[in-house]
Amino acid sequence: MRNAPSRGADVYGLSAYLRGHRAAPSRASYLVEPLRLLCEAVCGAQTLHPHVLQQVGVGHGDAVLRWDWYAACVLVADFDSARGNRKRHRHAETTARIRLETLLKRCLKRVEHFQGRVDFWPDLDVNDVLLDYRLLAGVLALCLAECGYTGALDYVREEAGELLQEGEGDPYVAAVVLGLTGTYRETYRDGQGALGILAWAVENGRALLKGAVRDLAIAEDLEERVASIRKIARQQAEPEEPEPWAPPFAVAEPLTLAVFPDMSHLPGKKKADSSLSHTAQSPLAEHGHLAKKLLSLVPVPDLQAFVAALDAEFPWYRVVTRSLAADLGRGRFARFRNVLLHGKPGSAKTRYARRVLELAGLQTVLYSAAGASDSTWGSTSRQWSTGRLSTVAGLIARVQQANVGIVLDELDKLPPQGVGGQNGRLDEALLPFLESTSARALFDSYVECSLDLSAPSYFATANDLTRVSGPLRDRFRIIEAPLPTLADLPVIARTMQAEILSEQGLDPAWSEPLAQDELDILASRWRGGSLRGLRRLVEVLVDGRPAGAAH
């Protein structure tokens, strides 16, 4: 049980700001206000001597923690003393930033020191000590984030993501997570107060969720998503290495990942022989140049532009689009959790999946599962003359990009269980690629070593979900693909018109968009549902126009 001074202090912690229980610091507000409120809740309204803090129970018996609380109180008191004097206030903000950063580093180091070693200090209630350090670290990070510190902002972003994963799935938390992925344009200057980054992030995230929150559809979707996250976290969670602290205003280094390890164990020459055919080349000659090479990771795109582009092309997928945007918002590079879109034919599942990946900036391959009767998806040993990398590793090697996109089309068209299988099955070969744990070190029989294939994103489509094997369903987040309605007709018809003209080798810019009377004709023949019939109608209208003339 927590000691008296800390009881109730959680209402002043970082999570209270991320949940919306406390108002986010506004632009030009008092820089250390969150820390002042927390210190008053834990230590009292007056700055006290450490021995007095010990008497009232601050620190849970840990002297270092008690001194850290005292340092936080003194920091606030020193900053308060400069209020009202503009020159001194500017100097006080400079000093406060340095002291906030120093104290935060010490708190994070102490958290790392205690974690996993609870039994080493039988005289301490280590769990309470950890709670206090996390409470203090969170508020310190919030204050530093309002100064523009990138490392502190990353800490706040991760805390918001963890709240979402732990079940805090209301639209406010979702808005914070989405908003913090944007780029804040203001620059911090000492003496001008907080930047208001968190308040801006809330408004930015709400703009992304606008429309979906209105009918509460996004809330239901988030609850389903958070439940799935909790299940996966219990089964597959792995401890992550703490990220190094980033200095203020640091330029972010490019995101990279080493997919291929050292391959010196392979025979042959590293340099390819141009006189030999592909099948005569050794794996080392083909892919040796990728050994230990840091391949680029496509960063998270502008989420507002991402959502706007998909809404313009697929308005009937609005709720799904916002759920996928939230996926992007949780990571530091573009990646989606495995998604299986299922529904009636003609709902544009495949086209939507491809556009999602393309708009995220990912190089994408469409892999048809219809009738696949072997396991050539996986790698083929170099003992065979047709040996090659797995499909995913081959795509990564070709484009030299670690996070790519895969669309597994018609996943329900695989041969039934018990039919064939002598050459392997695609649904079985896919399984390790879809597990984040195994994908981090997936053995490739062609290069005879483990590759890190944890960055790709997988989308799958199916009409009949019952024909998809249970193990595959368990590895996907299943989303029912909505069907377009008559209200979506103008957008769909004009998109189809542009596609048809492009396929005919014509520039859509030189053609007049479908007029209202043409749309009325389409509306009289198509009342919603499958898009295939609608496309045939649009083709008739486009072909019926006078050649070379605008309508």
Side-chain angles (χ1 to χ4, degrees), residues 70-92:
Y70 177 68
C73 292
V74 173
L75 189 160
V76 172
D78 290 348
F79 191 79
D80 279 341
S81 66
R83 298 185 79 171
N85 185 316
R86 185 174 180 179
K87 185 176 181 180
R88 284 189 61 203
H89 184 68
R90 181 175 181 180
H91 176 72

Side-chain angles (χ1 to χ4, degrees), residues 9-31:
D10 287 343
V11 299
Y12 298 97
L14 174 60
S15 62
Y17 294 90
L18 298 179
R19 293 187 179 102
H21 297 166
R22 300 202 64 80
S26 59
R27 184 81 169 92
S29 62
Y30 190 52
L31 185 63

